[in-house]
Amino acid sequence: MSATPLRILYDRNLALGARLFPRLGRARAIDGRALTHADLAACDLLFVRSTCRLDAALLEGTPVRFVGSGVAGTDHIDFAALRALGIPVATAPGCNAESVADFVVAALLAIGARQGRDWAGATLGIVGVGHVGTIVKRFAEEALGMKTLCCDPPRKDDGDFRARDFVSLDELLPQADVVTLHTPLNDDGPYRTRGLIAGPTARRFKPGAVLLNFARGPICDDALVAAMLTAGLLSDAAIDCWEGEPDYPAALAALAATATPHIAGHAFEGRANGTLAVYQAACDFLGVEPGPMPRFPPAKPAALTLDCAGLPDAQALRQAVRVACDIEADTARFRAAYSDDAALRRARFDALRRDYPHRRLFGATKLRLRNASPALAAKFRALGFPVTLARRAAKEARP
């Protein structure tokens, strides 16, 4: 490193950013969505999230030498433009996959309670079986007792041996009780996903199916999804990603069983892993040692005792999951923040993301179960909860 400190800008929503990036130089937190070309006039290293469009209009003619995007998605990056400018860019594939999978489970359990149903034996259609979809498949089968159908044309076409049983979207939709989307946003080419759930697709869904979009907003036509809910073609939906975010339609936000401001991946581990990935990439670029990794804060609560006596498995799972990941409280905050004023609505969307309450992965909460069957304990362990089974007191154990 040179004697002159590197000038660093980083999105204030990058968890651990304030502890990591000052190690590399003079670091300042910024609002990534509001970042302009002029802001980069004195910037050597730039670290952002998906709210910042990385292209020639932003970066050309600036002193920026390295860019890190601490999220899994890449549709906000013009890779060709950055290559032409000679600016290396690092991303964080898979950093928040388990966080999103936790959110899927929370949504399914909330919708199951709302509909008075147990998902055991139901069919989950997973569209996109990469980092997130793979974990969702495991959680659904091992913890919720669901059958799964998988659709991922790029992997199938690549000859991935694990994809030999994959089906097409046209095959999946009529069979799936729940359809969950986990694809990247592709605007063109043979694997275009923009508008994947739009137009004629509506007629292919199984009547009364549930739709989950925790991928990217433009994959769905939000007006169509709202119309399908109104007409009863879908029985429920869980929407975390919106077609025009940070703006979003009032109708779909009100109709969906759960509606949240693109926070499925915002468990602390998901955000921190993204920051760590781009920080380490920057260290490699600069030829410096990363230094010790910061400790993660404890979960709140760090431990939970649950008495499962008389509870169906789905209800017991929901009680613990809701403590660790309260998607219903997230939905209530989102709906309460709605405004008819579009500018205020967009600002509140970003504020909810920026000020999102501390959430940890399921595995950060130690779970002590009372009166739980071995099968139920196995379901909790499948979701990642560290489980111990409480022993009955001696006087309770005596006949």
Side-chain angles (χ1 to χ4, degrees):
M1 294 175 63
S2 64
T4 303
L6 291 170
R7 301 161 298 177
I8 301 165
L9 296 180
Y10 67 93
D11 191 304
R12 59 173 52 94
N13 281 346
L14 285 165
L16 300 179
R19 297 169 65 182
L20 291 173
F21 298 130
R23 297 178 182 179
L24 302 177
R26 192 169 63 246
R28 180 165 63 90
I30 48 93
D31 177 355
R33 195 186 293 280
L35 190 68
T36 67
H37 183 273
D39 294 327
L40 300 180
C43 176
D44 299 304
L45 307 181
L46 175 63
F47 300 93
V48 299
R49 290 179 59 84
S50 61
T51 54
C52 180
R53 174 68 181 168
L54 296 170
D55 55 17
L58 179 68
L59 293 160
E60 190 170 16
T62 72
V64 173
R65 298 162 48 192
F66 176 92
V67 173
S69 177
V71 295
T74 59
D75 47 279
H76 61 295
I77 304 173
D78 185 338
F79 286 100
L82 268 65
R83 281 195 299 271
L85 294 171
I87 301 175
V89 57
T91 61
C95 65
N96 60 0
E98 192 166 349
S99 175
V100 177
D102 283 3
F103 221 62
V104 170
V105 171
L108 285 170
L109 291 171
I111 293 172
R114 172 178 160 117
Q115 295 188 355
R117 69 176 298 176
D118 183 336
W119 293 115
T123 298
L124 177 67
I126 306 170
V127 183
V129 196
H131 290 101
V132 177
T134 299
I135 301 174
V136 167
K137 176 177 165 58
R138 173 165 53 83
F139 282 0
E141 292 175 349
E142 297 181 12
L144 302 182
M146 301 182 79
K147 297 178 289 186
T148 58
L149 288 173
C150 296
C151 172
D152 195 319
R155 287 185 58 192
K156 187 169 185 177
D157 290 351
D158 282 347
D160 187 331
F161 75 94
R162 292 166 294 185
R164 61 183 181 273
D165 295 325
F166 283 13
V167 299
S168 69
L169 187 64
D170 285 346
E171 294 174 290
L172 180 147
L173 291 177
Q175 300 182 64
D177 299 293
V178 181
V179 176
T180 185
L181 306 175
H182 302 292
T183 72
L185 178 61
N186 297 325
D187 285 320
D188 48 36
Y191 306 121
R192 175 186 167 96
T193 58
R194 181 179 291 273
L196 187 68
I197 306 300
T201 305
R203 296 193 294 271
R204 301 186 187 122
F205 277 84
K206 184 176 182 178
V210 173
L211 175 65
L212 280 58
N213 184 7
F214 296 161
R216 284 292 184 268
I219 293 171
C220 290
D221 179 336
D222 284 351
L224 172 68
V225 176
M228 293 174 69
L229 287 166
T230 300
L233 299 176
L234 293 174
S235 64
D236 260 320
I239 309 296
D240 182 58
C241 303
W242 305 84
E243 194 174 7
E245 62 183 61
D247 208 349
Y248 57 94
L252 183 54
L255 287 166
T258 67
T260 47
H262 203 152
I263 52 172
H266 275 216
F268 184 84
E269 288 90 341
R271 294 183 297 117
N273 289 340
T275 306
L276 287 166
V278 295
Y279 166 71
Q280 289 172 328
C283 290
D284 290 342
F285 171 74
L286 297 169
V288 300
E289 289 296 322
M293 292 298 102
R295 290 184 178 181
F296 288 6
K300 297 178 182 179
L304 175 66
T305 297
L306 179 63
D307 190 344
C308 304
L311 295 180
D313 284 6
Q315 189 175 341
L317 288 168
R318 180 169 180 260
Q319 286 192 17
V321 164
R322 193 171 181 184
V323 170
C325 178
D326 195 345
I327 197 171
E328 292 160 83
D330 294 336
T331 296
R333 281 189 294 271
F334 184 54
R335 288 185 174 140
Y338 181 80
S339 171
D340 288 333
D341 180 276
L344 184 56
R345 188 165 62 243
R346 291 192 292 267
R348 287 177 175 176
F349 186 99
D350 281 341
L352 286 169
R353 301 187 78 213
R354 182 190 66 231
D355 303 328
Y356 184 55
H358 181 74
R359 169 165 70 93
R360 295 289 304 275
L361 296 180
F362 295 154
T365 299
K366 296 178 181 179
L367 193 57
R368 190 166 184 260
L369 300 179
R370 296 184 183 276
N371 302 303
S373 68
L376 177 57
K379 291 178 181 180
F380 278 114
R381 291 190 179 103
L383 292 177
F385 285 100
V387 172
T388 58
L389 300 178
R391 295 180 179 179
R392 291 183 298 171
K395 62 180 180 180
E396 295 176 340
R398 287 197 297 267

PDB file of all heavy atoms in Angstrom, residues 130-151:
ATOM      1  N   GLY A 130     -29.968 -22.966  -7.468  1.00  0.00           N
ATOM      2  CA  GLY A 130     -28.577 -22.633  -7.192  1.00  0.00           C
ATOM      3  C   GLY A 130     -28.312 -22.650  -5.704  1.00  0.00           C
ATOM      4  O   GLY A 130     -28.776 -23.544  -4.985  1.00  0.00           O
ATOM      5  N   HIS A 131     -27.592 -21.637  -5.213  1.00  0.00           N
ATOM      6  CA  HIS A 131     -27.249 -21.599  -3.790  1.00  0.00           C
ATOM      7  C   HIS A 131     -28.491 -21.620  -2.912  1.00  0.00           C
ATOM      8  O   HIS A 131     -28.585 -22.397  -1.958  1.00  0.00           O
ATOM      9  CB  HIS A 131     -26.433 -20.336  -3.484  1.00  0.00           C
ATOM     10  CG  HIS A 131     -25.054 -20.341  -4.054  1.00  0.00           C
ATOM     11  ND1 HIS A 131     -24.723 -19.652  -5.196  1.00  0.00           N
ATOM     12  CD2 HIS A 131     -23.918 -20.952  -3.654  1.00  0.00           C
ATOM     13  CE1 HIS A 131     -23.444 -19.843  -5.469  1.00  0.00           C
ATOM     14  NE2 HIS A 131     -22.934 -20.627  -4.550  1.00  0.00           N
ATOM     15  N   VAL A 132     -29.468 -20.747  -3.225  1.00  0.00           N
ATOM     16  CA  VAL A 132     -30.666 -20.658  -2.389  1.00  0.00           C
ATOM     17  C   VAL A 132     -31.568 -21.860  -2.599  1.00  0.00           C
ATOM     18  O   VAL A 132     -31.992 -22.520  -1.650  1.00  0.00           O
ATOM     19  CB  VAL A 132     -31.443 -19.356  -2.676  1.00  0.00           C
ATOM     20  CG1 VAL A 132     -32.721 -19.313  -1.845  1.00  0.00           C
ATOM     21  CG2 VAL A 132     -30.582 -18.134  -2.384  1.00  0.00           C
ATOM     22  N   GLY A 133     -31.891 -22.146  -3.853  1.00  0.00           N
ATOM     23  CA  GLY A 133     -32.837 -23.219  -4.151  1.00  0.00           C
ATOM     24  C   GLY A 133     -32.418 -24.561  -3.594  1.00  0.00           C
ATOM     25  O   GLY A 133     -33.263 -25.360  -3.167  1.00  0.00           O
ATOM     26  N   THR A 134     -31.119 -24.820  -3.562  1.00  0.00           N
ATOM     27  CA  THR A 134     -30.629 -26.089  -3.026  1.00  0.00           C
ATOM     28  C   THR A 134     -30.935 -26.209  -1.536  1.00  0.00           C
ATOM     29  O   THR A 134     -31.344 -27.272  -1.047  1.00  0.00           O
ATOM     30  CB  THR A 134     -29.119 -26.209  -3.273  1.00  0.00           C
ATOM     31  OG1 THR A 134     -28.864 -26.190  -4.690  1.00  0.00           O
ATOM     32  CG2 THR A 134     -28.571 -27.504  -2.695  1.00  0.00           C
ATOM     33  N   ILE A 135     -30.735 -25.112  -0.792  1.00  0.00           N
ATOM     34  CA  ILE A 135     -31.031 -25.146   0.642  1.00  0.00           C
ATOM     35  C   ILE A 135     -32.533 -25.218   0.871  1.00  0.00           C
ATOM     36  O   ILE A 135     -33.010 -25.951   1.751  1.00  0.00           O
ATOM     37  CB  ILE A 135     -30.431 -23.917   1.349  1.00  0.00           C
ATOM     38  CG1 ILE A 135     -28.922 -23.869   1.142  1.00  0.00           C
ATOM     39  CG2 ILE A 135     -30.754 -23.954   2.850  1.00  0.00           C
ATOM     40  CD1 ILE A 135     -28.259 -22.604   1.684  1.00  0.00           C
ATOM     41  N   VAL A 136     -33.302 -24.479   0.082  1.00  0.00           N
ATOM     42  CA  VAL A 136     -34.760 -24.527   0.200  1.00  0.00           C
ATOM     43  C   VAL A 136     -35.268 -25.952  -0.009  1.00  0.00           C
ATOM     44  O   VAL A 136     -36.141 -26.433   0.725  1.00  0.00           O
ATOM     45  CB  VAL A 136     -35.418 -23.563  -0.803  1.00  0.00           C
ATOM     46  CG1 VAL A 136     -36.920 -23.822  -0.911  1.00  0.00           C
ATOM     47  CG2 VAL A 136     -35.168 -22.115  -0.392  1.00  0.00           C
ATOM     48  N   LYS A 137     -34.721 -26.629  -0.974  1.00  0.00           N
ATOM     49  CA  LYS A 137     -35.119 -28.016  -1.240  1.00  0.00           C
ATOM     50  C   LYS A 137     -34.866 -28.891  -0.017  1.00  0.00           C
ATOM     51  O   LYS A 137     -35.738 -29.672   0.409  1.00  0.00           O
ATOM     52  CB  LYS A 137     -34.342 -28.547  -2.450  1.00  0.00           C
ATOM     53  CG  LYS A 137     -34.579 -30.026  -2.778  1.00  0.00           C
ATOM     54  CD  LYS A 137     -33.804 -30.394  -4.057  1.00  0.00           C
ATOM     55  CE  LYS A 137     -33.690 -31.891  -4.246  1.00  0.00           C
ATOM     56  NZ  LYS A 137     -34.972 -32.596  -4.314  1.00  0.00           N
ATOM     57  N   ARG A 138     -33.704 -28.749   0.583  1.00  0.00           N
ATOM     58  CA  ARG A 138     -33.373 -29.557   1.771  1.00  0.00           C
ATOM     59  C   ARG A 138     -34.294 -29.225   2.935  1.00  0.00           C
ATOM     60  O   ARG A 138     -34.814 -30.122   3.608  1.00  0.00           O
ATOM     61  CB  ARG A 138     -31.903 -29.345   2.142  1.00  0.00           C
ATOM     62  CG  ARG A 138     -31.484 -30.006   3.444  1.00  0.00           C
ATOM     63  CD  ARG A 138     -29.976 -30.084   3.571  1.00  0.00           C
ATOM     64  NE  ARG A 138     -29.321 -28.815   3.396  1.00  0.00           N
ATOM     65  CZ  ARG A 138     -29.165 -27.894   4.357  1.00  0.00           C
ATOM     66  NH1 ARG A 138     -29.654 -28.145   5.568  1.00  0.00           N
ATOM     67  NH2 ARG A 138     -28.535 -26.760   4.120  1.00  0.00           N
ATOM     68  N   PHE A 139     -34.492 -27.948   3.197  1.00  0.00           N
ATOM     69  CA  PHE A 139     -35.374 -27.550   4.295  1.00  0.00           C
ATOM     70  C   PHE A 139     -36.790 -28.072   4.089  1.00  0.00           C
ATOM     71  O   PHE A 139     -37.433 -28.568   5.025  1.00  0.00           O
ATOM     72  CB  PHE A 139     -35.417 -26.020   4.399  1.00  0.00           C
ATOM     73  CG  PHE A 139     -34.217 -25.390   5.066  1.00  0.00           C
ATOM     74  CD1 PHE A 139     -33.158 -26.152   5.541  1.00  0.00           C
ATOM     75  CD2 PHE A 139     -34.147 -24.015   5.222  1.00  0.00           C
ATOM     76  CE1 PHE A 139     -32.063 -25.565   6.155  1.00  0.00           C
ATOM     77  CE2 PHE A 139     -33.065 -23.412   5.840  1.00  0.00           C
ATOM     78  CZ  PHE A 139     -32.012 -24.187   6.299  1.00  0.00           C
ATOM     79  N   ALA A 140     -37.293 -27.932   2.866  1.00  0.00           N
ATOM     80  CA  ALA A 140     -38.676 -28.334   2.584  1.00  0.00           C
ATOM     81  C   ALA A 140     -38.864 -29.830   2.768  1.00  0.00           C
ATOM     82  O   ALA A 140     -39.869 -30.282   3.345  1.00  0.00           O
ATOM     83  CB  ALA A 140     -39.057 -27.918   1.166  1.00  0.00           C
ATOM     84  N   GLU A 141     -37.918 -30.619   2.297  1.00  0.00           N
ATOM     85  CA  GLU A 141     -38.053 -32.072   2.378  1.00  0.00           C
ATOM     86  C   GLU A 141     -37.817 -32.576   3.799  1.00  0.00           C
ATOM     87  O   GLU A 141     -38.596 -33.398   4.311  1.00  0.00           O
ATOM     88  CB  GLU A 141     -37.059 -32.721   1.412  1.00  0.00           C
ATOM     89  CG  GLU A 141     -37.383 -32.486  -0.058  1.00  0.00           C
ATOM     90  CD  GLU A 141     -36.323 -33.029  -1.000  1.00  0.00           C
ATOM     91  OE1 GLU A 141     -35.221 -33.402  -0.527  1.00  0.00           O
ATOM     92  OE2 GLU A 141     -36.583 -33.072  -2.216  1.00  0.00           O
ATOM     93  N   GLU A 142     -36.755 -32.106   4.440  1.00  0.00           N
ATOM     94  CA  GLU A 142     -36.349 -32.686   5.722  1.00  0.00           C
ATOM     95  C   GLU A 142     -37.077 -32.091   6.919  1.00  0.00           C
ATOM     96  O   GLU A 142     -37.262 -32.777   7.929  1.00  0.00           O
ATOM     97  CB  GLU A 142     -34.832 -32.530   5.898  1.00  0.00           C
ATOM     98  CG  GLU A 142     -34.022 -33.272   4.844  1.00  0.00           C
ATOM     99  CD  GLU A 142     -32.526 -33.119   5.036  1.00  0.00           C
ATOM    100  OE1 GLU A 142     -32.107 -32.636   6.116  1.00  0.00           O
ATOM    101  OE2 GLU A 142     -31.769 -33.471   4.113  1.00  0.00           O
ATOM    102  N   ALA A 143     -37.493 -30.828   6.824  1.00  0.00           N
ATOM    103  CA  ALA A 143     -38.142 -30.189   7.971  1.00  0.00           C
ATOM    104  C   ALA A 143     -39.654 -30.073   7.807  1.00  0.00           C
ATOM    105  O   ALA A 143     -40.389 -30.209   8.780  1.00  0.00           O
ATOM    106  CB  ALA A 143     -37.552 -28.799   8.197  1.00  0.00           C
ATOM    107  N   LEU A 144     -40.123 -29.841   6.575  1.00  0.00           N
ATOM    108  CA  LEU A 144     -41.556 -29.632   6.363  1.00  0.00           C
ATOM    109  C   LEU A 144     -42.251 -30.845   5.757  1.00  0.00           C
ATOM    110  O   LEU A 144     -43.475 -30.857   5.625  1.00  0.00           O
ATOM    111  CB  LEU A 144     -41.780 -28.405   5.471  1.00  0.00           C
ATOM    112  CG  LEU A 144     -41.185 -27.089   5.994  1.00  0.00           C
ATOM    113  CD1 LEU A 144     -41.532 -25.950   5.039  1.00  0.00           C
ATOM    114  CD2 LEU A 144     -41.668 -26.786   7.405  1.00  0.00           C
ATOM    115  N   GLY A 145     -41.481 -31.850   5.371  1.00  0.00           N
ATOM    116  CA  GLY A 145     -42.079 -33.066   4.818  1.00  0.00           C
ATOM    117  C   GLY A 145     -42.704 -32.880   3.457  1.00  0.00           C
ATOM    118  O   GLY A 145     -43.615 -33.620   3.063  1.00  0.00           O
ATOM    119  N   MET A 146     -42.218 -31.910   2.684  1.00  0.00           N
ATOM    120  CA  MET A 146     -42.773 -31.631   1.368  1.00  0.00           C
ATOM    121  C   MET A 146     -42.073 -32.450   0.287  1.00  0.00           C
ATOM    122  O   MET A 146     -40.921 -32.873   0.436  1.00  0.00           O
ATOM    123  CB  MET A 146     -42.638 -30.144   1.035  1.00  0.00           C
ATOM    124  CG  MET A 146     -43.326 -29.219   2.020  1.00  0.00           C
ATOM    125  SD  MET A 146     -43.200 -27.458   1.579  1.00  0.00           S
ATOM    126  CE  MET A 146     -44.486 -27.347   0.309  1.00  0.00           C
ATOM    127  N   LYS A 147     -42.781 -32.688  -0.790  1.00  0.00           N
ATOM    128  CA  LYS A 147     -42.173 -33.203  -2.009  1.00  0.00           C
ATOM    129  C   LYS A 147     -41.702 -32.009  -2.827  1.00  0.00           C
ATOM    130  O   LYS A 147     -42.265 -30.917  -2.717  1.00  0.00           O
ATOM    131  CB  LYS A 147     -43.192 -34.025  -2.803  1.00  0.00           C
ATOM    132  CG  LYS A 147     -43.676 -35.270  -2.067  1.00  0.00           C
ATOM    133  CD  LYS A 147     -44.724 -36.026  -2.863  1.00  0.00           C
ATOM    134  CE  LYS A 147     -46.040 -35.267  -2.916  1.00  0.00           C
ATOM    135  NZ  LYS A 147     -47.126 -36.062  -3.563  1.00  0.00           N
ATOM    136  N   THR A 148     -40.676 -32.186  -3.631  1.00  0.00           N
ATOM    137  CA  THR A 148     -40.159 -31.063  -4.407  1.00  0.00           C
ATOM    138  C   THR A 148     -40.052 -31.404  -5.886  1.00  0.00           C
ATOM    139  O   THR A 148     -39.761 -32.542  -6.251  1.00  0.00           O
ATOM    140  CB  THR A 148     -38.774 -30.605  -3.893  1.00  0.00           C
ATOM    141  OG1 THR A 148     -37.854 -31.702  -3.960  1.00  0.00           O
ATOM    142  CG2 THR A 148     -38.862 -30.084  -2.464  1.00  0.00           C
ATOM    143  N   LEU A 149     -40.303 -30.398  -6.696  1.00  0.00           N
ATOM    144  CA  LEU A 149     -40.028 -30.431  -8.129  1.00  0.00           C
ATOM    145  C   LEU A 149     -39.064 -29.293  -8.421  1.00  0.00           C
ATOM    146  O   LEU A 149     -39.219 -28.189  -7.876  1.00  0.00           O
ATOM    147  CB  LEU A 149     -41.306 -30.231  -8.943  1.00  0.00           C
ATOM    148  CG  LEU A 149     -42.309 -31.377  -8.987  1.00  0.00           C
ATOM    149  CD1 LEU A 149     -43.583 -30.916  -9.700  1.00  0.00           C
ATOM    150  CD2 LEU A 149     -41.707 -32.575  -9.717  1.00  0.00           C
ATOM    151  N   CYS A 150     -38.078 -29.541  -9.266  1.00  0.00           N
ATOM    152  CA  CYS A 150     -37.042 -28.544  -9.516  1.00  0.00           C
ATOM    153  C   CYS A 150     -36.985 -28.175 -10.990  1.00  0.00           C
ATOM    154  O   CYS A 150     -37.067 -29.047 -11.869  1.00  0.00           O
ATOM    155  CB  CYS A 150     -35.679 -29.069  -9.079  1.00  0.00           C
ATOM    156  SG  CYS A 150     -35.575 -29.357  -7.301  1.00  0.00           S
ATOM    157  N   CYS A 151     -36.834 -26.884 -11.240  1.00  0.00           N
ATOM    158  CA  CYS A 151     -36.721 -26.363 -12.602  1.00  0.00           C
ATOM    159  C   CYS A 151     -35.512 -25.437 -12.658  1.00  0.00           C
ATOM    160  O   CYS A 151     -35.467 -24.441 -11.922  1.00  0.00           O
ATOM    161  CB  CYS A 151     -38.000 -25.611 -12.978  1.00  0.00           C
ATOM    162  SG  CYS A 151     -37.898 -24.716 -14.552  1.00  0.00           S
TER     163      CYS A 151
END
